[in-house]
Amino acid sequence: MLLAIDAGNTNTTFAVFDGEEIVGEWRAGTNTARTADEYAVWLSSLMQLVNLKFANVDTAIIATVVPQGLFNLRTLCRRYFNCEPLVVGDPDVDIGIRILIEKERDVGADRLVNAVAAHHAYGGPAIILDFGTATTFDVIDENGNYHGGVIAPGINLSLEALHMAAAKLPRIAVERPTRVIGNDTQSAMLSGVYYGYVGLIEGLVARIKQDFGKPMKVVATGGLAAMFDDGTDEIDMIDRDLTMKGLLMIARRNPRTMN
């Protein structure tokens, strides 16, 4: 079985694959101070709930945008799963697509993994819209090659900035408002963020398509993708597990054996 780890700025997701099927998936807040032993205690309990043991896992792959946490994740794989993990971005890891930008190392591993999965599942050209800590728009061509993209502040980050910068604005959770015009501060904030992001999505998708010069499909992923699917016609399909599917594909492309 494969252990796939996606370490983002806010959350770190662990998934165990048995073939093509995810048989266990768990999230923890990203914390670079968390040790390999702490991860192991936490994962052991969760894996037992779905009748999995550490011994069931024989390979692992990591994609991280938080370099400070990589050492402990590597140690987790080596010490408790007895395998040397693949790390997306390492020179010896072949992701199967070309990165057609000037500074390849600047691209977040999660964005490249999403590109691999989107091309395999949906073809191209395509825009991959990922609702994470940042909201990212990534472009692949008909061959799956990565052409760059757009990075905007994430929705929850924007809400937190409003709360922190303005004394009278409360901290609220994002959801789709019932109407555009808010009749109190909270509903006005919610409408501004939600429909502001609908406008952001529609505007950027239109400009990206114009810039690229070809028809493109839009694949959305991330925790808030489903919420925005109802608010705009620009999203063609939603794939909640896009990143994990990409990690599985890359792992299969770079087979490794246990230590």
Side-chain angles (χ1 to χ4, degrees):
M1 292 185 182
L2 170 72
L3 173 65
I5 304 173
D6 172 31
N9 288 298
T10 303
N11 293 311
T12 298
T13 304
F14 299 79
V16 175
F17 282 90
D18 185 1
E20 298 278 343
E21 181 185 1
I22 296 177
V23 292
E25 185 173 2
W26 311 276
R27 286 173 175 79
T30 297
N31 178 359
T32 58
R34 187 174 286 124
T35 67
D37 300 324
E38 289 171 325
Y39 277 124
V41 170
W42 176 76
L43 266 179
S44 176
S45 299
L46 291 170
M47 289 175 68
Q48 287 176 20
L49 294 176
V50 291
N51 297 316
L52 290 174
K53 300 177 181 179
F54 287 169
N56 296 132
V57 173
D58 55 14
T59 56
I61 184 169
I62 301 169
T64 181
V65 296
V66 187
Q68 302 92 327
L70 180 57
F71 174 81
N72 288 328
L73 291 173
R74 279 189 195 268
T75 304
L76 169 72
C77 297
R78 291 167 175 167
R79 182 178 298 165
Y80 291 96
F81 295 98
N82 193 33
C83 63
E84 182 64 32
L86 293 160
V87 177
V88 178
D90 279 359
D92 62 337
V93 175
D94 178 16
I95 65 172
I97 63 172
R98 295 171 63 201
I99 306 170
L100 302 179
I101 64 172
E102 291 184 5
K103 298 180 179 180
E104 295 185 15
R105 300 290 294 180
D106 286 353
V107 186
D110 55 340
R111 300 171 71 188
L112 296 177
V113 171
N114 286 345
V116 170
H119 176 249
H120 181 269
Y122 307 107
I127 301 167
I128 302 118
L129 171 55
D130 190 350
F131 295 92
T133 306
T135 301
T136 57
F137 301 72
D138 291 299
V139 174
I140 58 171
D141 63 23
E142 59 274 14
N143 298 313
N145 298 318
Y146 181 83
H147 285 257
V150 176
I151 302 174
I155 299 142
N156 286 317
L157 189 63
S158 297
L159 282 170
E160 187 66 17
L162 276 175
H163 168 68
M164 295 296 292
K168 290 189 176 182
L169 297 184
R171 180 181 282 113
I172 62 171
V174 65
E175 59 183 71
R176 185 177 182 179
T178 56
R179 59 197 304 262
V180 177
I181 302 172
N183 57 13
D184 57 27
T185 298
Q186 182 168 322
S187 61
M189 289 175 63
L190 191 58
S191 183
V193 170
Y194 183 86
Y195 287 109
Y197 269 86
V198 168
L200 174 80
I201 293 164
E202 293 175 344
L204 282 174
V205 166
R207 288 177 181 272
I208 290 170
K209 288 179 177 179
Q210 182 181 29
D211 195 16
F212 198 71
K214 296 180 181 179
M216 307 175 79
K217 61 196 72 175
V218 178
V219 182
T221 191
L224 296 176
M227 183 186 303
F228 284 89
D229 186 35
D230 293 334
T232 178
D233 294 328
E234 291 296 338
I235 297 174
D236 296 307
M237 64 276 296
I238 292 175
D239 193 331
R240 176 182 175 273
D241 294 318
L242 191 69
T243 307
M244 287 300 162
K245 290 176 181 176
L247 287 172
L248 173 63
M249 293 170 199
I250 295 171
R252 287 184 168 175
R253 192 177 184 88
N254 298 265
R256 286 188 178 175
T257 57
M258 293 179 64
N259 289 334

